[in-house]
């Protein structure tokens, strides 16, 4: 179900709750509380960035950082700075793991 479909259904429930709230004159109107909660939920859903887009951005950035770190680590290891090269290769592995996790969240 898409976010737009969820928002549509919540708006439908909100309209029904608002109609029921208009029939009650009690100060602690349960239906009015439902309307307020549904309004807040709809506002939050409409204002949220899509999780997929943010996960794709993280995936792309961490993958690029991983490739850069791996390349720099190999170059440093070849020119004799073995410790710095190993550290960068380990960092690259961490960035790639984070990219894989972010990529999995894109589905």
């Amino acid at each position: 179900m898409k976010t737009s479909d969820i928002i549509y259904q919540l708006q439908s429930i909100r309209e029904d709750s608002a109609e029921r709230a208009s029939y009650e004159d009690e100060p602690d109107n349960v239906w009015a509380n439902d309307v307020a909660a549904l309004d807040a939920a709809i506002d939050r859903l409409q204002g949220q960035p899509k999780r997929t887009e943010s996960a794709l951005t993280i995936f792309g950035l961490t993958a690029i950082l991983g490739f850069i770190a791996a390349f720099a680590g190999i170059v440093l290891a070849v020119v004799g700075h073995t410790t710095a090269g190993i550290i960068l290769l380990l960092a690259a592995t961490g960035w790639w793991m984070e990219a894989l996790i972010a990529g999995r969240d894109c589905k």
Side-chain angles (χ1 to χ4, degrees):
M1 186 177 239
K2 295 180 184 177
T3 304
S4 59
D5 296 332
I6 295 169
I7 291 170
Y8 177 80
Q9 289 302 126
L10 289 174
Q11 288 171 335
S12 176
I13 295 169
R14 188 222 175 272
E15 289 173 16
D16 185 50
S17 296
E19 185 177 326
R20 292 173 189 259
S22 66
Y23 296 133
E24 291 189 23
D25 293 332
E26 298 177 16
D28 188 24
N29 189 334
V30 175
W31 294 106
N33 293 338
D34 289 346
V35 169
L38 287 163
D39 283 339
I42 291 167
D43 288 344
R44 287 189 184 154
L45 281 173
Q46 288 175 334
Q48 270 186 353
K50 292 183 179 177
R51 182 177 176 182
T52 305
E53 291 172 359
S54 60
L56 282 173
T57 301
I58 292 170
F59 175 75
L61 291 175
T62 53
I64 290 170
L65 285 172
F67 284 119
I68 292 170
F71 179 75
I74 291 169
V75 168
L76 286 172
V78 168
V79 296
H81 298 287
T82 311
T83 305
I86 291 171
I87 290 171
L88 277 174
L89 287 172
L90 289 173
T93 304
W95 280 319
W96 284 329
M97 293 297 286
E98 186 178 344
L100 289 173
I101 292 167
R104 184 189 67 206
D105 289 341
C106 293
K107 296 179 182 178

